[in-house]
Amino acid sequence: MTTTTSRTAIVTGAARGIGTGVSQRLAADGFAVAVLDLDEAACKPVVAEIEAAGGRALAVGADVADEAAVQAAVDRVATELGEPTVLVNNAGIIRDNLLFKMTATDWDAVMNVHLRGSFLMTRAVQGYMTKAQWGRIVNLSSTSALGNRGQVNYSAAKAGIQGFTKTLAIELGKYGVTANAIAPGFIETEMTMATAERMGVSFDDFKAFVIKEIPVGRGGRPADIAHAVSFFVGEDAGFVSGQVLYVAGGPKA
Ligand code: NAI
């Protein structure tokens, strides 16, 4: 049986937040990890931490919504780190507003990063997976896919990610490739800090308000999501595909 030590993973949006947590976890699991984000310099501290812990990593700068940049980034990973057979589509942005105030620019920006970005990255990497007859794709959805006030763009994109994931599972299954989605609830990152700021409340107040509704009684951390990613990309998870796992401290459907 092949071990994970020789495998290469790409994690998008990995310079901070959930993507950093996922990168660190996959490196600890034995993957060589391409830490990809808009700005290569911002990825370097994450790479340095992984290397200090004995892992292998590469900082890669690319906008996941830019077709040429995505192809160049994936080519570079294949050459400098190893042919990628694990992809975590995590890069994301929010541009929240109520429907009547939302601009078409904010609609497009969110669709471009989440949907076009996941599509371009997956299309660029799938050839390595089918060639290896093994691959793991994990896409970040959200509990917002179920509907969330002020997020008509983001919730549509995150629901779209679920359909995208299920179709990948159907098309790529025969090549030994699985595709699954993780739908986090509230995770403490700069994204949720920005939400609190926009609502005009302190992050502590925002957290207290949100946590009241979370059955396990705490906010999520990047490591909570990284743990679920680690399961999906594992050797033994080959019969788990096309699933959406809500990681939210309680039931969601
Ligand atoms: P974050 O805002 O802290 O980090 C997102 C990263 O994505 C940033 O480093 C950013 O530079 C990068 N990024 C944005 N646009 C990009 C692009 N076009 N190309 C490459 N990189 C790009 O966000 P966080 O909280 O770590 O979220 C990660 C993922 O998890 C996102 O997809 C988000 O929608 C999802 N999520 C987060 C939740 C939360 O509570 N924090 C809840 C549910 C889902």
Side-chain angles (χ1 to χ4, degrees):
M1 194 186 195
T2 321
T3 63
T4 52
T5 43
S6 59
R7 299 200 190 281
T8 297
I10 300 179
V11 182
T12 70
R16 68 184 203 195
I18 293 171
T20 294
V22 169
S23 299
Q24 290 167 332
R25 175 63 189 261
L26 295 188
D29 287 351
F31 293 93
V33 180
V35 177
L36 186 150
D37 211 295
L38 285 169
D39 176 18
E40 181 173 329
C43 299
K44 291 210 160 133
V46 181
V47 167
E49 266 188 75
I50 288 172
E51 287 174 343
R56 276 183 70 218
L58 177 72
V60 181
D63 176 349
V64 295
D66 178 333
E67 189 170 16
V70 163
Q71 193 57 56
V74 171
D75 290 348
R76 200 183 141 210
V77 171
T79 309
E80 294 184 30
L81 200 60
E83 298 191 349
T85 52
V86 172
L87 173 64
V88 183
N89 283 310
N90 167 82
I93 58 168
I94 46 173
R95 294 286 184 274
D96 297 354
N97 226 327
L98 295 174
L99 171 66
F100 79 103
K101 287 195 282 191
M102 185 165 291
T103 64
T105 306
D106 283 347
W107 174 271
D108 290 344
V110 167
M111 292 302 151
N112 278 337
V113 178
H114 295 272
L115 289 178
R116 182 181 160 88
S118 297
F119 157 65
L120 291 175
M121 285 298 306
T122 306
R123 193 184 60 179
V125 171
Q126 55 79 32
Y128 294 109
M129 298 180 174
T130 54
K131 182 177 151 198
Q133 291 286 300
W134 190 94
R136 299 281 187 262
I137 300 162
V138 180
N139 300 318
L140 269 289
S141 178
S142 166
T143 52
S144 294
L146 302 167
N148 198 25
R149 188 179 172 78
Q151 291 196 316
V152 73
N153 50 359
Y154 183 82
S155 61
K158 291 308 200 184
I161 286 286
Q162 297 189 7
F164 174 69
T165 302
K166 290 174 192 189
T167 302
L168 294 177
I170 291 167
E171 290 192 15
L172 299 174
K174 63 170 175 271
Y175 304 104
V177 179
T178 68
N180 291 285
I182 295 173
F186 171 74
I187 310 294
E188 294 180 29
T189 67
E190 285 177 59
M191 185 180 270
T192 41
M193 284 176 204
T195 304
E197 203 177 311
R198 219 176 13 259
M199 291 169 74
V201 294
S202 75
F203 193 50
D204 281 343
D205 287 350
F206 181 61
K207 258 179 14 188
F209 175 77
V210 174
I211 288 170
K212 269 197 303 206
E213 303 299 323
I214 300 177
V216 301
R218 68 166 174 87
R221 306 174 191 111
D224 293 313
I225 305 308
H227 185 65
V229 173
S230 176
F231 166 73
F232 281 129
V233 307
E235 296 294 330
D236 297 338
F239 206 56
V240 182
S241 197
Q243 301 304 301
V244 179
L245 181 65
Y246 285 88
V247 182
K252 299 278 173 185

